[in-house]
Coordinates of all heavy atoms in Angstrom, one line a residue:
M29 N 87.9 29.6 -60.4 CA 87.1 28.5 -60.8 C 86.9 28.6 -62.3 O 87.0 29.7 -62.9 CB 85.8 28.5 -60.1 CG 84.8 29.5 -60.6 SD 83.1 29.2 -60.1 CE 83.3 28.7 -58.4
A30 N 86.6 27.5 -62.8 CA 86.3 27.5 -64.3 C 84.9 28.2 -64.5 O 84.1 28.3 -63.5 CB 86.2 26.1 -64.8
W31 N 84.8 28.8 -65.6 CA 83.5 29.5 -65.9 C 83.1 29.1 -67.3 O 83.8 29.2 -68.2 CB 83.8 31.0 -65.8 CG 82.5 31.8 -65.6 CD1 81.9 32.6 -66.5 CD2 81.7 31.9 -64.4 NE1 80.8 33.1 -66.0 CE2 80.6 32.7 -64.7 CE3 81.8 31.3 -63.1 CZ2 79.6 33.0 -63.8 CZ3 80.8 31.6 -62.2 CH2 79.8 32.4 -62.5
F32 N 81.8 28.7 -67.4 CA 81.4 28.2 -68.7 C 80.2 29.0 -69.2 O 79.3 29.5 -68.5 CB 80.9 26.7 -68.5 CG 82.0 25.8 -68.2 CD1 82.2 25.4 -66.9 CD2 82.9 25.3 -69.2 CE1 83.2 24.5 -66.5 CE2 83.9 24.5 -68.8 CZ 84.1 24.0 -67.5
L33 N 80.2 29.1 -70.5 CA 79.0 29.6 -71.2 C 78.3 28.4 -71.8 O 78.9 27.8 -72.7 CB 79.3 30.6 -72.3 CG 78.2 31.2 -73.1 CD1 77.2 32.0 -72.2 CD2 78.6 32.1 -74.2
N34 N 77.2 28.0 -71.2 CA 76.5 26.8 -71.7 C 75.5 27.1 -72.7 O 74.7 28.0 -72.5 CB 75.9 26.1 -70.5 CG 76.9 25.6 -69.5 OD1 77.9 25.1 -69.8 ND2 76.5 25.8 -68.2
H35 N 75.5 26.3 -73.8 CA 74.5 26.4 -74.8 C 73.4 25.3 -74.6 O 73.8 24.1 -74.6 CB 75.1 26.3 -76.2 CG 75.9 27.5 -76.6 ND1 75.5 28.6 -77.3 CD2 77.2 27.7 -76.3 CE1 76.5 29.4 -77.4 NE2 77.6 28.9 -76.8
H36 N 72.2 25.7 -74.5 CA 71.1 24.7 -74.4 C 70.2 24.8 -75.5 O 69.9 25.8 -76.1 CB 70.3 25.0 -73.1 CG 71.1 24.8 -71.8 ND1 71.1 23.7 -71.1 CD2 71.9 25.7 -71.1 CE1 71.8 23.8 -70.0 NE2 72.3 25.1 -70.0
E37 N 69.6 23.6 -75.8 CA 68.5 23.6 -76.8 C 67.4 22.7 -76.1 O 67.7 21.6 -75.7 CB 68.9 23.0 -78.1 CG 67.8 23.2 -79.2 CD 68.3 22.7 -80.5 OE1 68.1 21.5 -80.7 OE2 68.8 23.5 -81.3
C38 N 66.2 23.2 -76.0 CA 65.2 22.5 -75.3 C 64.7 21.3 -76.1 O 64.4 21.4 -77.3 CB 64.0 23.5 -75.0 SG 62.7 22.7 -74.1
Y39 N 64.6 20.2 -75.4 CA 64.2 18.9 -76.0 C 62.6 19.0 -76.2 O 62.1 18.1 -76.9 CB 64.5 17.7 -75.1 CG 64.1 17.8 -73.7 CD1 62.8 17.4 -73.4 CD2 64.9 18.4 -72.7 CE1 62.3 17.5 -72.0 CE2 64.4 18.5 -71.4 CZ 63.2 18.0 -71.1 OH 62.7 18.1 -69.8
R40 N 62.0 19.9 -75.5 CA 60.5 20.0 -75.7 C 60.0 21.0 -76.7 O 59.3 20.7 -77.6 CB 59.9 20.3 -74.3 CG 58.5 19.8 -74.2 CD 58.0 19.5 -72.8 NE 57.7 20.8 -72.1 CZ 57.3 20.8 -70.8 NH1 57.4 19.7 -70.1 NH2 57.0 21.9 -70.2
C41 N 60.5 22.3 -76.5 CA 60.0 23.3 -77.4 C 61.0 23.8 -78.5 O 60.7 24.5 -79.4 CB 59.5 24.5 -76.6 SG 60.9 25.5 -75.8
G42 N 62.3 23.3 -78.4 CA 63.3 23.6 -79.4 C 63.9 24.9 -79.3 O 64.7 25.3 -80.2
E43 N 63.6 25.7 -78.3 CA 64.2 27.0 -78.1 C 65.7 26.9 -77.7 O 66.1 25.9 -77.1 CB 63.5 27.9 -77.0 CG 62.1 28.4 -77.5 CD 62.2 29.5 -78.5 OE1 63.3 30.0 -78.7 OE2 61.2 29.8 -79.1
H44 N 66.5 27.9 -78.0 CA 67.9 27.9 -77.7 C 68.2 29.0 -76.7 O 67.6 30.1 -76.8 CB 68.7 28.1 -79.0 CG 70.2 28.3 -78.8 ND1 70.8 29.5 -78.8 CD2 71.1 27.3 -78.7 CE1 72.1 29.2 -78.6 NE2 72.3 28.0 -78.5
W45 N 69.0 28.7 -75.7 CA 69.4 29.8 -74.8 C 70.8 29.5 -74.3 O 71.3 28.4 -74.4 CB 68.4 30.0 -73.7 CG 68.4 28.9 -72.6 CD1 69.1 29.0 -71.4 CD2 67.8 27.6 -72.6 NE1 68.9 27.8 -70.7 CE2 68.1 27.0 -71.4 CE3 67.0 27.0 -73.6 CZ2 67.6 25.7 -71.1 CZ3 66.5 25.7 -73.2 CH2 66.8 25.1 -72.0
T46 N 71.4 30.5 -73.7 CA 72.8 30.3 -73.1 C 72.7 30.7 -71.7 O 71.8 31.5 -71.2 CB 73.8 31.2 -73.8 OG1 73.4 32.6 -73.7 CG2 74.0 30.8 -75.3
D47 N 73.6 30.2 -70.9 CA 73.6 30.3 -69.5 C 75.1 30.3 -69.0 O 75.9 29.4 -69.4 CB 72.9 29.1 -68.9 CG 72.8 29.2 -67.4 OD1 72.6 30.3 -66.9 OD2 72.8 28.1 -66.8
E48 N 75.5 31.3 -68.3 CA 76.8 31.4 -67.7 C 76.8 30.8 -66.4 O 76.1 31.1 -65.5 CB 77.3 32.8 -67.6 CG 77.9 33.4 -68.9 CD 78.5 34.7 -68.7 OE1 79.2 34.9 -67.7 OE2 78.4 35.6 -69.6
W49 N 77.7 29.8 -66.2 CA 77.7 29.1 -64.9 C 79.1 28.5 -64.6 O 79.9 28.4 -65.5 CB 76.6 28.1 -64.8 CG 76.2 27.7 -63.4 CD1 76.4 26.5 -62.9 CD2 75.7 28.5 -62.4 NE1 75.9 26.5 -61.6 CE2 75.5 27.7 -61.3 CE3 75.3 29.9 -62.4 CZ2 75.0 28.3 -60.1 CZ3 74.8 30.4 -61.2 CH2 74.6 29.6 -60.1
S50 N 79.3 28.2 -63.4 CA 80.6 27.7 -63.0 C 80.7 26.2 -63.2 O 81.7 25.6 -62.8 CB 80.8 28.0 -61.5 OG 79.8 27.5 -60.7
C51 N 79.7 25.6 -63.8 CA 79.8 24.2 -64.1 C 79.1 23.9 -65.4 O 78.3 24.7 -65.9 CB 79.3 23.3 -63.0 SG 77.5 23.5 -62.8
Q52 N 79.3 22.7 -66.0 CA 78.5 22.4 -67.2 C 77.2 21.7 -66.7 O 77.1 20.5 -66.9 CB 79.4 21.4 -68.1 CG 80.5 22.1 -68.7 CD 81.6 21.2 -69.1 OE1 82.4 20.7 -68.3 NE2 81.7 20.9 -70.4
C53 N 76.4 22.5 -66.1 CA 75.2 21.8 -65.4 C 73.9 21.9 -66.2 O 73.8 22.7 -67.1 CB 75.1 22.3 -64.0 SG 75.3 24.1 -63.9
D54 N 73.0 21.2 -65.8 CA 71.6 21.2 -66.4 C 70.9 22.5 -66.0 O 71.2 23.1 -65.0 CB 70.8 20.0 -65.9 CG 71.4 18.7 -66.4 OD1 72.3 18.7 -67.3 OD2 70.9 17.6 -66.0
D55 N 70.0 22.8 -66.9 CA 69.2 24.1 -66.7 C 67.8 23.8 -67.0 O 67.4 22.8 -67.7 CB 69.8 25.2 -67.5 CG 69.4 26.6 -67.1 OD1 68.9 26.7 -66.0 OD2 69.5 27.5 -67.9
E56 N 67.0 24.8 -66.5 CA 65.5 24.7 -66.9 C 65.2 25.6 -68.0 O 65.8 26.7 -68.1 CB 64.7 25.1 -65.6 CG 63.2 24.9 -65.8 CD 62.5 25.3 -64.5 OE1 62.5 24.5 -63.5 OE2 62.0 26.5 -64.4
C57 N 64.4 25.2 -69.0 CA 64.1 26.0 -70.1 C 63.3 27.2 -69.7 O 62.3 27.2 -69.0 CB 63.2 25.2 -71.1 SG 62.7 26.1 -72.5
P58 N 63.9 28.4 -70.1 CA 63.2 29.7 -69.7 C 61.9 29.9 -70.5 O 61.2 30.8 -70.2 CB 64.3 30.7 -70.0 CG 65.1 30.2 -71.0 CD 65.1 28.7 -70.8
Y59 N 61.7 29.1 -71.5 CA 60.5 29.4 -72.4 C 59.3 28.5 -72.0 O 58.2 29.0 -71.9 CB 60.9 29.1 -73.9 CG 62.0 30.0 -74.3 CD1 63.3 29.6 -74.3 CD2 61.8 31.3 -74.8 CE1 64.4 30.4 -74.7 CE2 62.8 32.2 -75.2 CZ 64.1 31.7 -75.1 OH 65.1 32.5 -75.5
C60 N 59.6 27.2 -71.8 CA 58.5 26.3 -71.5 C 58.6 25.7 -70.1 O 57.7 25.0 -69.6 CB 58.3 25.3 -72.6 SG 59.6 24.0 -72.5
G61 N 59.8 25.8 -69.4 CA 59.9 25.3 -68.1 C 60.3 23.9 -68.0 O 60.4 23.3 -66.9
A62 N 60.7 23.2 -69.1 CA 61.1 21.9 -69.1 C 62.4 21.8 -68.3 O 63.3 22.6 -68.6 CB 61.3 21.3 -70.5
G63 N 62.6 20.9 -67.4 CA 63.8 20.8 -66.6 C 64.8 19.9 -67.1 O 64.6 19.2 -68.1
D64 N 66.0 19.9 -66.5 CA 67.1 19.0 -66.7 C 67.6 19.0 -68.2 O 67.8 17.9 -68.8 CB 66.7 17.5 -66.4 CG 66.3 17.4 -64.9 OD1 66.9 18.2 -64.1 OD2 65.4 16.6 -64.6
S65 N 67.7 20.2 -68.7 CA 68.2 20.3 -70.1 C 69.7 20.3 -70.0 O 70.3 21.2 -69.3 CB 67.7 21.5 -70.8 OG 68.5 21.8 -71.9
S66 N 70.4 19.4 -70.6 CA 71.9 19.3 -70.6 C 72.4 20.2 -71.7 O 71.9 20.3 -72.8 CB 72.4 17.9 -70.8 OG 71.9 17.1 -69.7
P67 N 73.5 21.0 -71.4 CA 74.1 21.8 -72.4 C 74.7 20.9 -73.5 O 75.2 19.9 -73.3 CB 75.2 22.6 -71.7 CG 75.5 21.8 -70.4 CD 74.2 21.1 -70.1
F68 N 74.4 21.3 -74.8 CA 75.0 20.6 -75.9 C 76.4 21.1 -76.3 O 77.1 20.5 -77.0 CB 74.1 20.6 -77.1 CG 73.8 21.9 -77.8 CD1 74.7 22.4 -78.7 CD2 72.7 22.7 -77.4 CE1 74.5 23.6 -79.3 CE2 72.5 23.9 -78.0 CZ 73.4 24.4 -79.0
E69 N 76.7 22.3 -75.7 CA 78.0 22.8 -75.9 C 78.4 23.7 -74.8 O 77.5 24.4 -74.3 CB 78.0 23.6 -77.2 CG 79.4 23.9 -77.8 CD 79.3 24.9 -78.9 OE1 78.4 24.8 -79.7 OE2 80.2 25.8 -79.0
S70 N 79.6 23.7 -74.4 CA 80.1 24.6 -73.3 C 81.4 25.3 -73.7 O 82.3 24.6 -74.1 CB 80.3 23.8 -72.0 OG 79.1 23.4 -71.4
E71 N 81.4 26.6 -73.6 CA 82.6 27.3 -73.8 C 83.2 27.6 -72.5 O 82.5 28.1 -71.6 CB 82.3 28.6 -74.6 CG 81.7 28.4 -76.0 CD 81.2 29.8 -76.5 OE1 82.0 30.7 -76.5 OE2 80.1 29.8 -77.0
D72 N 84.5 27.4 -72.4 CA 85.2 27.7 -71.2 C 85.6 29.2 -71.2 O 86.4 29.6 -72.0 CB 86.4 26.8 -71.1 CG 87.0 26.9 -69.7 OD1 86.8 27.9 -69.0 OD2 87.7 25.9 -69.3
L73 N 85.0 29.9 -70.3 CA 85.2 31.4 -70.2 C 86.2 31.8 -69.1 O 86.3 32.9 -68.8 CB 83.9 32.1 -70.0 CG 82.8 32.0 -71.0 CD1 81.7 32.9 -70.6 CD2 83.3 32.4 -72.4
S74 N 86.9 30.8 -68.6 CA 87.8 31.1 -67.5 C 89.1 31.8 -67.9 O 89.9 32.2 -67.1 CB 88.1 29.9 -66.6 OG 88.4 28.8 -67.4
G75 N 89.3 31.9 -69.2 CA 90.5 32.6 -69.7 C 90.2 33.3 -71.0 O 89.4 32.8 -71.8
Y76 N 90.8 34.4 -71.2 CA 90.7 35.1 -72.6 C 92.0 35.9 -72.8 O 92.8 36.2 -72.0 CB 89.4 35.9 -72.7 CG 89.4 37.2 -71.8 CD1 89.8 38.4 -72.4 CD2 89.1 37.1 -70.5 CE1 89.7 39.5 -71.6 CE2 89.0 38.3 -69.7 CZ 89.4 39.5 -70.3 OH 89.4 40.6 -69.5
I77 N 92.1 36.3 -74.1 CA 93.3 37.0 -74.6 C 92.8 38.3 -75.2 O 91.9 38.4 -76.0 CB 94.1 36.2 -75.6 CG1 94.7 35.0 -74.9 CG2 95.2 37.1 -76.2 CD1 95.3 34.0 -75.9
E78 N 93.4 39.4 -74.8 CA 93.1 40.7 -75.3 C 94.3 41.2 -76.1 O 95.5 41.0 -75.6 CB 92.8 41.7 -74.1 CG 91.7 42.6 -74.4 CD 91.3 43.4 -73.1 OE1 92.2 44.1 -72.6 OE2 90.2 43.2 -72.6
Q79 N 94.1 41.9 -77.2 CA 95.2 42.4 -77.9 C 95.4 43.9 -77.7 O 94.4 44.7 -77.7 CB 95.0 42.2 -79.4 CG 95.3 40.7 -79.8 CD 95.3 40.5 -81.3 OE1 95.9 41.3 -82.0 NE2 94.6 39.5 -81.7
E80 N 96.6 44.4 -77.4 CA 96.8 45.8 -77.1 C 98.2 46.1 -77.6 O 99.2 45.5 -77.1 CB 96.6 46.0 -75.6 CG 96.6 47.5 -75.3 CD 96.5 47.7 -73.8 OE1 95.5 47.3 -73.2 OE2 97.5 48.2 -73.2
A81 N 98.3 47.1 -78.4 CA 99.6 47.6 -78.9 C 100.6 46.5 -79.3 O 101.7 46.5 -78.9 CB 100.3 48.5 -77.8
G82 N 100.0 45.6 -80.1 CA 100.9 44.5 -80.6 C 101.2 43.4 -79.6 O 102.0 42.5 -79.9
E83 N 100.6 43.5 -78.4 CA 100.9 42.5 -77.4 C 99.6 41.7 -77.1 O 98.5 42.2 -77.3 CB 101.4 43.1 -76.1 CG 102.8 43.7 -76.2 CD 103.3 44.2 -74.8 OE1 102.5 44.9 -74.1 OE2 104.4 43.8 -74.5
H84 N 99.8 40.5 -76.7 CA 98.6 39.6 -76.3 C 98.6 39.5 -74.8 O 99.5 38.9 -74.2 CB 98.7 38.3 -77.0 CG 98.7 38.4 -78.5 ND1 99.9 38.6 -79.2 CD2 97.7 38.3 -79.4 CE1 99.5 38.7 -80.5 NE2 98.3 38.5 -80.6
I85 N 97.6 40.0 -74.2 CA 97.5 40.0 -72.7 C 96.6 38.9 -72.3 O 95.4 38.8 -72.8 CB 96.9 41.3 -72.2 CG1 97.7 42.5 -72.8 CG2 97.0 41.4 -70.7 CD1 97.0 43.9 -72.6
V86 N 97.1 38.0 -71.5 CA 96.4 36.8 -71.1 C 95.7 37.1 -69.7 O 96.4 37.5 -68.8 CB 97.3 35.6 -70.9 CG1 96.6 34.4 -70.4 CG2 97.9 35.3 -72.3
Y87 N 94.4 36.8 -69.7 CA 93.7 36.9 -68.4 C 93.1 35.6 -68.1 O 92.5 34.9 -68.9 CB 92.5 37.9 -68.5 CG 92.9 39.3 -68.7 CD1 93.1 39.9 -70.0 CD2 93.2 40.2 -67.6 CE1 93.4 41.2 -70.2 CE2 93.6 41.5 -67.8 CZ 93.7 42.0 -69.1 OH 94.1 43.3 -69.2
V88 N 93.2 35.2 -66.8 CA 92.6 33.9 -66.3 C 91.9 34.2 -65.0 O 92.4 34.9 -64.1 CB 93.7 32.8 -66.2 CG1 93.1 31.6 -65.5 CG2 94.2 32.4 -67.6
S89 N 90.7 33.6 -64.9 CA 90.0 33.7 -63.6 C 90.5 32.6 -62.6 O 90.5 31.4 -63.0 CB 88.5 33.5 -63.8 OG 87.8 33.4 -62.6
P90 N 91.0 33.0 -61.5 CA 91.6 32.0 -60.5 C 90.5 31.1 -59.9 O 89.3 31.4 -59.9 CB 92.2 32.8 -59.5 CG 91.5 34.1 -59.5 CD 91.0 34.3 -60.9
A91 N 91.0 29.9 -59.4 CA 90.1 28.9 -58.8 C 89.3 29.5 -57.6 O 88.3 29.0 -57.3 CB 90.9 27.7 -58.4
S92 N 89.9 30.5 -57.0 CA 89.3 31.1 -55.8 C 88.1 32.0 -56.1 O 87.4 32.3 -55.1 CB 90.3 31.8 -55.0 OG 90.9 32.8 -55.8
A93 N 87.9 32.4 -57.3 CA 86.7 33.2 -57.6 C 85.4 32.5 -57.3 O 85.3 31.3 -57.7 CB 86.8 33.6 -59.1
D94 N 84.5 33.2 -56.7 CA 83.3 32.5 -56.2 C 82.2 32.4 -57.1 O 82.0 31.3 -57.7 CB 82.8 33.2 -54.9 CG 83.4 32.5 -53.7 OD1 83.9 31.4 -53.8 OD2 83.4 33.1 -52.6
D95 N 81.4 33.4 -57.3 CA 80.2 33.3 -58.0 C 80.2 34.0 -59.4 O 79.2 34.2 -60.0 CB 78.9 33.7 -57.2 CG 79.1 35.0 -56.6 OD1 80.2 35.6 -56.8 OD2 78.3 35.4 -55.8
S96 N 81.4 34.6 -59.7 CA 81.6 35.2 -61.0 C 83.1 35.2 -61.3 O 83.9 35.0 -60.4 CB 81.1 36.6 -61.0 OG 81.9 37.4 -60.1
P97 N 83.4 35.2 -62.6 CA 84.8 35.2 -62.9 C 85.6 36.4 -62.4 O 85.0 37.5 -62.4 CB 84.9 35.2 -64.4 CG 83.5 35.0 -64.9 CD 82.6 35.4 -63.7
D98 N 86.8 36.3 -61.9 CA 87.5 37.4 -61.4 C 88.9 37.3 -62.1 O 89.8 36.7 -61.6 CB 87.7 37.1 -59.8 CG 88.4 38.3 -59.2 OD1 88.5 39.3 -59.8 OD2 88.9 38.1 -58.1
Y99 N 88.9 38.0 -63.2 CA 90.1 37.8 -64.1 C 91.3 38.5 -63.6 O 91.3 39.6 -63.1 CB 89.8 38.3 -65.5 CG 88.7 37.5 -66.2 CD1 87.4 38.1 -66.4 CD2 88.9 36.2 -66.6 CE1 86.4 37.3 -67.0 CE2 87.9 35.5 -67.2 CZ 86.7 36.1 -67.4 OH 85.7 35.3 -68.0
E100 N 92.4 37.8 -63.6 CA 93.7 38.4 -63.3 C 94.6 38.3 -64.5 O 94.6 37.4 -65.3 CB 94.4 37.5 -62.2 CG 93.7 37.7 -60.8 CD 94.3 36.8 -59.8 OE1 95.2 36.0 -60.1 OE2 93.9 36.9 -58.6
E101 N 95.4 39.4 -64.7 CA 96.4 39.4 -65.8 C 97.5 38.4 -65.5 O 98.1 38.5 -64.4 CB 96.9 40.8 -66.0 CG 97.8 40.9 -67.2 CD 98.4 42.3 -67.4 OE1 97.6 43.3 -67.2 OE2 99.6 42.4 -67.8
V102 N 97.7 37.5 -66.4 CA 98.8 36.5 -66.3 C 100.1 37.0 -66.8 O 101.1 36.8 -66.3 CB 98.4 35.2 -66.9 CG1 99.5 34.2 -66.9 CG2 97.1 34.6 -66.3
G103 N 100.0 37.7 -68.0 CA 101.2 38.2 -68.6 C 100.9 38.8 -70.0 O 99.8 38.6 -70.5
R104 N 101.9 39.4 -70.6 CA 101.8 40.0 -71.9 C 102.8 39.3 -72.8 O 104.0 39.2 -72.4 CB 102.1 41.5 -71.8 CG 101.0 42.2 -71.1 CD 101.5 43.6 -70.7 NE 100.4 44.2 -69.9 CZ 99.6 45.2 -70.3 NH1 99.8 45.8 -71.5 NH2 98.7 45.7 -69.5
Y105 N 102.4 38.9 -74.0 CA 103.3 38.2 -74.9 C 103.2 38.7 -76.3 O 102.1 39.1 -76.8 CB 102.9 36.7 -74.9 CG 102.8 36.2 -73.4 CD1 101.6 36.1 -72.8 CD2 104.0 35.7 -72.8 CE1 101.6 35.7 -71.4 CE2 103.9 35.3 -71.5 CZ 102.7 35.3 -70.8 OH 102.7 34.8 -69.5
R106 N 104.3 38.8 -77.0 CA 104.4 39.2 -78.4 C 103.7 38.2 -79.3 O 103.0 38.6 -80.2 CB 105.8 39.4 -78.8 CG 106.5 40.6 -78.2 CD 106.2 41.8 -79.1 NE 106.6 43.0 -78.3 CZ 106.1 44.2 -78.6 NH1 105.2 44.4 -79.5 NH2 106.5 45.3 -77.9
S107 N 103.9 36.9 -78.9 CA 103.3 35.9 -79.8 C 102.0 35.4 -79.4 O 101.8 35.1 -78.2 CB 104.4 34.7 -79.8 OG 103.7 33.5 -80.2
E108 N 101.0 35.3 -80.3 CA 99.7 34.8 -80.0 C 99.8 33.4 -79.6 O 99.0 32.9 -78.7 CB 98.8 35.1 -81.2 CG 97.3 34.7 -80.8 CD 96.4 34.9 -82.0 OE1 96.9 35.3 -83.1 OE2 95.2 34.7 -81.8
R109 N 100.6 32.6 -80.3 CA 100.8 31.2 -80.0 C 101.2 30.9 -78.6 O 100.7 30.1 -77.9 CB 101.7 30.6 -81.0 CG 101.7 29.1 -81.2 CD 102.6 28.6 -82.3 NE 104.0 29.1 -82.1 CZ 104.8 28.4 -81.3 NH1 104.5 27.3 -80.7 NH2 106.1 28.9 -81.2
I110 N 102.2 31.7 -78.2 CA 102.7 31.5 -76.8 C 101.6 32.0 -75.8 O 101.4 31.3 -74.8 CB 104.0 32.4 -76.6 CG1 105.1 31.7 -77.4 CG2 104.4 32.5 -75.1 CD1 106.4 32.4 -77.5
A111 N 100.9 33.1 -76.1 CA 99.9 33.5 -75.2 C 98.8 32.5 -75.0 O 98.4 32.2 -73.9 CB 99.3 34.8 -75.7
K112 N 98.4 31.8 -76.1 CA 97.4 30.8 -76.0 C 97.9 29.6 -75.2 O 97.2 29.0 -74.4 CB 97.0 30.3 -77.4 CG 96.0 31.2 -78.0 CD 95.5 30.6 -79.4 CE 94.5 31.5 -80.0 NZ 94.4 31.4 -81.5
G113 N 99.2 29.2 -75.4 CA 99.7 28.1 -74.6 C 99.8 28.4 -73.1 O 99.4 27.6 -72.3
I114 N 100.2 29.6 -72.8 CA 100.2 30.1 -71.4 C 98.8 30.0 -70.8 O 98.6 29.5 -69.7 CB 100.8 31.5 -71.3 CG1 102.2 31.6 -71.8 CG2 100.7 32.0 -69.9 CD1 103.3 31.1 -70.9
M115 N 97.8 30.5 -71.5 CA 96.5 30.6 -71.1 C 95.9 29.2 -70.8 O 95.3 28.9 -69.8 CB 95.6 31.3 -72.1 CG 94.1 31.4 -71.6 SD 93.1 32.3 -72.7 CE 92.8 31.1 -74.0
T116 N 96.2 28.3 -71.7 CA 95.7 26.9 -71.6 C 96.3 26.2 -70.4 O 95.6 25.6 -69.6 CB 96.0 26.1 -72.9 OG1 95.5 26.8 -74.0 CG2 95.4 24.7 -72.8
R117 N 97.6 26.4 -70.2 CA 98.3 25.8 -69.1 C 97.7 26.3 -67.8 O 97.5 25.6 -66.8 CB 99.8 26.0 -69.1 CG 100.5 24.9 -69.8 CD 101.9 24.8 -69.3 NE 102.7 26.0 -69.7 CZ 103.2 26.2 -70.8 NH1 103.1 25.4 -71.8 NH2 104.0 27.3 -71.0
R118 N 97.5 27.7 -67.7 CA 97.0 28.3 -66.5 C 95.6 27.9 -66.2 O 95.3 27.6 -65.0 CB 97.1 29.8 -66.6 CG 96.6 30.5 -65.4 CD 97.3 30.2 -64.1 NE 98.6 30.8 -64.0 CZ 98.9 31.9 -63.3 NH1 97.9 32.5 -62.6 NH2 100.1 32.5 -63.3
M119 N 94.8 27.8 -67.2 CA 93.4 27.3 -67.0 C 93.3 25.9 -66.4 O 92.5 25.6 -65.6 CB 92.6 27.4 -68.3 CG 92.2 28.9 -68.6 SD 91.7 29.1 -70.3 CE 90.2 28.1 -70.5
R120 N 94.2 25.1 -67.0 CA 94.3 23.7 -66.5 C 94.7 23.6 -65.0 O 94.1 22.9 -64.2 CB 95.2 22.9 -67.4 CG 95.0 21.4 -67.3 CD 95.9 20.6 -68.2 NE 95.7 21.1 -69.6 CZ 96.7 21.2 -70.5 NH1 98.0 20.9 -70.2 NH2 96.5 21.5 -71.7
K121 N 95.7 24.4 -64.7 CA 96.2 24.5 -63.3 C 95.1 25.0 -62.4 O 94.9 24.4 -61.3 CB 97.4 25.5 -63.3 CG 98.4 25.0 -62.3 CD 99.7 25.9 -62.4 CE 99.8 26.9 -61.4 NZ 100.9 27.9 -61.6
E122 N 94.4 26.0 -62.8 CA 93.3 26.5 -61.9 C 92.2 25.5 -61.7 O 91.6 25.4 -60.7 CB 92.7 27.8 -62.5 CG 93.7 29.0 -62.4 CD 94.1 29.4 -61.0 OE1 93.3 29.1 -60.1 OE2 95.2 30.0 -60.8
S123 N 91.8 24.8 -62.8 CA 90.7 23.8 -62.7 C 91.1 22.6 -61.8 O 90.3 22.0 -61.1 CB 90.2 23.4 -64.0 OG 91.1 22.6 -64.7
Q124 N 92.4 22.3 -61.8 CA 92.9 21.2 -60.9 C 92.8 21.7 -59.5 O 92.5 20.9 -58.6 CB 94.4 20.9 -61.3 CG 94.5 19.9 -62.5 CD 95.9 19.8 -63.0 OE1 96.8 20.5 -62.5 NE2 96.0 19.0 -64.0
K125 N 93.1 22.9 -59.2 CA 93.0 23.5 -57.9 C 91.5 23.4 -57.4 O 91.2 23.0 -56.3 CB 93.4 25.0 -57.9 CG 94.8 25.2 -57.4 CD 95.0 26.7 -57.1 CE 96.0 27.3 -58.0 NZ 96.0 28.8 -57.9
A126 N 90.6 23.8 -58.3 CA 89.2 23.8 -57.9 C 88.6 22.4 -57.6 O 87.8 22.3 -56.7 CB 88.4 24.5 -59.1
F127 N 89.1 21.4 -58.3 CA 88.5 20.1 -58.1 C 89.5 19.2 -57.3 O 89.3 18.0 -57.3 CB 88.2 19.5 -59.5 CG 87.2 20.3 -60.3 CD1 87.5 20.9 -61.4 CD2 85.9 20.4 -59.8 CE1 86.6 21.7 -62.1 CE2 84.9 21.2 -60.5 CZ 85.3 21.8 -61.6
G128 N 90.5 19.8 -56.7 CA 91.4 19.0 -55.9 C 92.3 18.2 -56.7 O 92.7 17.1 -56.3
Ligands
LIG6 ZN1 61.4 24.6 -73.8

């Protein structure tokens, strides 16, 4: 499944917090308890790239992961550009699986 780091800013007290979740969903302010705060920004954490010995290792969390990301190695690439392309394609494929 896709995994998001959601950034929230409270419309009532102005505090900022982040929340990791499997959707871009509303959250309750941990400071003042105001509900239904929509994230103003969401980072997709369902894939990332690690560099090791001159190679770029692509990890993507599959659609079947339940309540936390479960990263699997997709492949190792010399080129960062190719690694990013592979990661983007795989993430799109996994999110299509998750949402049918
Ligand atoms: Zn608040």
